[in-house]
Amino acid sequence: MRWAAAGAGGVVLLCWPLLVPPYFVFLTSLIVVNAIVAIGLNLLSGYTNQLSFGHAGFFAVGAYVAAVLTLRAPALPVVATLALAGLATALVGLALGIPCLRLEGLYLAMATLAFGFVVVEAILNLDWLTRGNDGLAVPAARLGPLALGSDAAKYYLVLGVGALMVAAAVNIARTRTGRALLAIRESEIAAQASGVHLAAYKTLAFAVSAFYTGVAGGLFAFVVGFISPDAFDVFLSVDFVAMIIVGGLGSIPGSIVGAAVITLLYDWLAAFQNYRPLLFGLILIGCMLFMPGGIASRMAKWTHQAQ
Amino acid sequence: MLGVEDLSISFGGLTALSGLSFEVAEREIFALIGPNGAGKSTVFNVVTGLSRPSAGRVRFRGEDLLVLAPHRIARRGIARTFQNTEVFRQLTALDNVLIGRHAQLRGGLLRGALGLPFVWREEAAARAAARALLDRVGLVGAAGVEAGSLPLGAQKRLEIARALAAAPRLLLLDEPAGGLNPTETQTLMELIRGLRDAEGLTVVVVEHDMELVMGISDRVLVLNYGREISSGSPREIAADPAVIEAYLGSEEA
């Protein structure tokens, strides 16, 4: 029954560009991109309890690395471009994660918030590479002789990469590394007493989280086709946090659902730009009050009761 | 096996331990007792690297422990439980024990992410071993239950299973009988004896339950205000006037 449902879902996802208008294909691509970020952020915040309000910064690093690589080295296959975007962002994550080892809670949130601003400033100042405020038009991703220019082609790229990233995250969460991260969240002293190297795993969480966000940033650059610094402001970081709170901290399915909910809300509320922060704020407060475990734990309860 | 020499530590002017020395032999069950605040748990915290003493030395099988980080000490074969229980509350009992096995497993980030067959074989073996340990402490029925929702006595036993998962040589038990009823305490005593007799573990236990202390210990050390006031066999310390005074107060008081 579960496998049948998953199979049917997979078929729908594969046929999606044939079923819906191009705009919805684009929107679905954005959902998958955001889901990859949400999973990365959740590994850091939900699993390891290190709060980040700077993931728009990682997202921007990934987007710009992918865009600049595509412009400067057009022959590079898109898979390599995305891997390099992820690795470069992971290095930035390491560089941020190591000094942040001494920080907790609000102080860590402040440091990551500042990191987000630093990235935007850096993009503005490196204008010989990034063209500053003018932004970069991103050419179509290339896969051998194929140019992935249409919304459908981009969608399949995003879906393929997204599926790999989700599978990897599920595997990490279910094995030794994921348990070590959760142990740190639950009790640092008991984790240490069990042989978990706190500093190493906290830093690893930063690097993996940044890798996910960097790959997603690269995909975002291809999906949207144009990037500029103002797309990566602090409100984007808050949106990412909203995704994992609404979806469920410490849950990978929750990350995906949360990303879908926030991305769709964003789209529906496009006409009410000015009220967006107000509505998002209300949704977050409502979530924390009435659904502290997010949609994921609510769904777990329902399926539990149904049995 | 474990040698503590002239250990002193104070927290903000309050002396928690002063000049404490003792030696625990291989395959010994050694009890640390004393009134509340005597510094018993502090000894565990120093041995496991959570607190740094102001003076003294701690050696384990000839190696200086005070230069090692807590996770390294754990990997040398020292596992512990906690007085106020430090279970991973939102994780299942089974996952708690699996985390205890952390240092025994080899699957890292990349191999785990790729889901290599090696990792799944290792995971399956680890799960079987963890279930066996839960069975041993009488919790196999609770494998899928969130640890934080277990009663205190069960959490105490879960911590023992988690500690055993690390395949330690030295087991430090901090008030394992706290929250246990007399029947459970009897079972616990048999478990501890079995660990020593069948597996050759060395056990240091901090405990208030005198039945347990007198029933299983080879030697007992009595602490009061961070100092040793007596040590010897259970029978010897039970007859020591200094111990009786520390517990019941002197007649003049």
Side-chain angles (χ1 to χ4, degrees):
Chain A
M1 181 60 206
R2 275 184 75 176
W3 289 108
V11 170
V12 169
L13 278 178
L14 282 176
C15 299
W16 196 240
L18 306 173
L19 302 172
V20 299
Y23 180 71
F24 287 98
V25 176
F26 167 77
L27 201 59
T28 314
S29 296
L30 274 188
I31 289 176
V32 178
V33 166
N34 285 333
I36 299 172
V37 179
I39 290 170
L41 181 60
N42 222 332
L43 286 174
L44 184 70
S45 300
Y47 278 73
T48 325
N49 200 21
Q50 299 186 100
L51 206 54
S52 166
F53 279 99
H55 265 52
F58 292 130
F59 197 59
V61 172
Y64 270 89
V65 170
V68 169
L69 275 175
T70 312
L71 287 165
R72 302 274 164 123
L76 206 61
V78 62
V79 179
T81 310
L82 290 172
L84 286 171
L87 288 174
T89 315
L91 282 180
V92 175
L94 273 183
L96 178 65
I98 291 169
C100 281
L101 279 174
R102 295 176 172 277
L103 304 177
E104 269 176 26
L106 268 182
Y107 297 96
L108 181 62
M110 292 296 287
T112 50
L113 187 72
F115 164 76
F117 287 114
V118 169
V119 170
V120 170
E121 284 305 312
I123 292 169
L124 289 173
N125 281 305
L126 294 170
D127 50 2
W128 57 273
L129 192 65
T130 64
R131 301 186 30 135
N133 258 330
D134 296 342
L136 283 177
V138 188
R142 295 200 74 89
L143 197 63
L146 291 173
L148 309 177
S150 70
D151 280 329
K154 290 172 180 175
Y155 167 78
Y156 285 118
L157 171 69
V158 171
L159 190 67
V161 174
L164 285 178
M165 305 285 278
V166 169
V170 169
N171 282 345
I172 292 172
R174 280 195 341 206
T175 52
R176 179 169 174 261
T177 307
R179 283 194 301 265
L181 299 182
L182 285 170
I184 292 172
R185 176 187 83 185
E186 295 291 309
S187 164
E188 292 199 355
I189 60 169
Q192 284 177 301
S194 301
V196 175
H197 190 337
L198 277 194
Y201 276 94
K202 283 181 159 185
T203 315
L204 184 73
F206 252 102
V208 173
S209 185
F211 179 85
Y212 268 78
T213 311
V215 170
L219 288 170
F220 175 79
F222 291 125
V223 168
V224 176
F226 177 81
I227 52 173
S228 64
D230 57 346
F232 305 103
D233 60 9
V234 60
F235 295 108
L236 183 62
S237 291
V238 176
D239 290 345
F240 290 148
V241 173
M243 288 175 198
I244 64 170
I245 288 177
V246 170
L249 290 172
S251 162
I252 288 174
S255 309
I256 299 170
V257 174
V261 168
I262 298 290
T263 312
L264 289 174
L265 268 179
Y266 212 114
D267 187 61
W268 293 335
L269 297 176
F272 308 96
Q273 265 306 342
N274 298 334
Y275 297 102
R276 218 191 81 218
L278 177 71
L279 283 165
F280 268 50
L282 285 176
I283 290 168
L284 277 187
I285 293 171
C287 249
M288 290 179 193
L289 279 178
F290 303 113
M291 210 167 53
I295 295 170
S297 78
R298 186 48 64 92
M299 287 199 304
K301 260 183 208 142
W302 281 336
T303 51
H304 201 73
Q305 281 164 1
Q307 275 164 9
Chain B
M1 177 178 225
L2 178 71
V4 169
E5 245 177 82
D6 208 19
L7 199 64
S8 295
I9 181 169
S10 52
F11 300 109
L14 193 82
T15 306
L17 291 175
S18 77
L20 180 70
S21 299
F22 63 88
E23 187 86 32
V24 182
E26 193 116 12
R27 297 176 70 106
E28 188 172 30
I29 298 178
F30 186 90
L32 277 172
I33 66 168
N36 284 322
K40 306 177 300 286
S41 295
T42 307
V43 175
F44 279 10
N45 288 342
V46 170
V47 171
T48 54
L50 293 178
S51 301
R52 294 290 171 205
S54 37
R57 303 213 294 189
V58 179
R59 297 187 160 275
F60 178 64
R61 301 175 131 190
E63 188 179 14
D64 183 6
L65 286 187
L66 295 182
V67 299
L68 296 178
H71 69 275
R72 297 223 176 274
I73 293 175
R75 286 162 183 227
R76 295 294 191 276
I78 300 181
R80 70 173 290 184
T81 67
F82 295 87
Q83 184 184 351
N84 297 315
T85 70
E86 284 283 341
V87 295
F88 304 119
R89 297 186 65 84
Q90 291 188 60
L91 309 185
T92 63
L94 187 71
D95 275 340
N96 268 266
V97 181
L98 283 170
I99 290 163
R101 218 165 177 77
H102 179 80
Q104 308 287 309
L105 303 178
R106 298 272 69 87
L109 175 74
L110 282 181
R111 288 197 282 188
L114 295 173
L116 296 185
F118 156 79
V119 174
W120 299 125
R121 276 199 302 275
E122 184 183 69
E123 281 289 311
R127 269 162 211 280
R131 276 182 190 282
L133 283 170
L134 283 175
D135 192 26
R136 195 157 180 188
V137 297
L139 281 175
V140 77
V145 177
E146 249 185 44
S149 67
L150 292 170
L152 184 64
Q155 291 190 21
K156 290 262 175 195
R157 285 181 284 148
L158 178 58
E159 284 205 337
I160 296 177
R162 180 177 69 190
L164 290 175
R169 300 307 309 149
L170 171 65
L171 183 62
L172 310 175
L173 300 174
D174 201 342
E175 298 194 18
L180 265 56
N181 65 38
T183 327
E184 288 173 328
T185 305
Q186 283 301 326
T187 318
L188 175 69
M189 286 164 67
E190 276 155 39
L191 173 70
I192 297 173
R193 259 194 226 111
L195 289 172
R196 190 265 303 273
D197 296 342
E199 279 153 61
L201 249 73
T202 309
V203 182
V204 179
V205 55
V206 162
E207 187 52 71
H208 284 296
D209 185 313
M210 281 308 133
E211 197 188 320
L212 183 139
V213 171
M214 295 301 164
I216 63 168
S217 315
D218 299 312
R219 281 192 303 141
V220 182
L221 187 149
V222 190
L223 277 176
N224 199 13
Y225 297 111
R227 288 173 192 280
E228 174 185 330
I229 56 170
S230 179
S231 69
S233 70
R235 199 179 298 225
E236 283 163 6
I237 65 118
D240 187 335
V243 176
I244 296 163
E245 184 185 310
Y247 269 88
L248 304 175
S250 62
E251 274 170 41
E252 301 89 69

